[in-house]
Amino acid sequence: MDGTGLFNATRHIGLLCHLTSRMTADTEYQLAPNIAGLPPAEILGRTAGHLGRAITHYTQALTPLITLTTTGQHTLQHKLDSLDHHSRLLAHLDDADGP
């Protein structure tokens, strides 16, 4: 674990990718004839789309997160720059959470 959230962000991306690939495989499987016990393919497909958007936003959040964790905050300019990085990071994480 790290105190920056970088580990958690990369772990979330990995888990979302795994879940998305399983969901799309289930969707493809559901499209085969005579398959029962899975939600309809349309629902699975829409859900996979939502997961894909979450992956996109988490991935976009990595840039400001890495910048914040690797750049010192010693000068006033660095502190001002970090406000933009924090803002972008929070926007991406909020967007990843969904509508």
Side-chain angles (χ1 to χ4, degrees):
M1 286 286 180
D2 65 338
T4 63
L6 189 56
F7 173 81
N8 285 339
T10 56
R11 182 73 176 136
H12 286 175
I13 291 169
L15 292 171
L16 285 168
C17 287
H18 177 74
L19 185 58
T20 303
S21 66
R22 292 289 308 265
M23 186 91 45
T24 54
D26 286 349
T27 302
E28 182 179 357
Y29 185 70
Q30 179 67 19
L31 293 174
N34 303 320
I35 302 301
L38 288 174
E42 181 181 321
I43 294 171
L44 291 169
R46 264 186 295 178
T47 304
H50 291 298
L51 292 171
R53 281 188 288 286
I55 293 167
T56 299
H57 289 295
Y58 267 105
T59 304
Q60 289 173 331
L62 284 178
T63 300
L65 183 59
I66 290 170
T67 301
L68 287 168
T69 60
T70 59
T71 305
Q73 303 296 312
H74 307 298
T75 67
L76 180 59
Q77 187 60 48
H78 283 122
K79 291 178 182 178
L80 290 174
D81 291 343
S82 73
L83 292 174
D84 179 53
H85 295 305
H86 278 288
S87 175
R88 288 187 9 224
L89 177 61
L90 292 175
H92 289 304
L93 293 179
D94 285 344
D95 289 342
D97 193 29

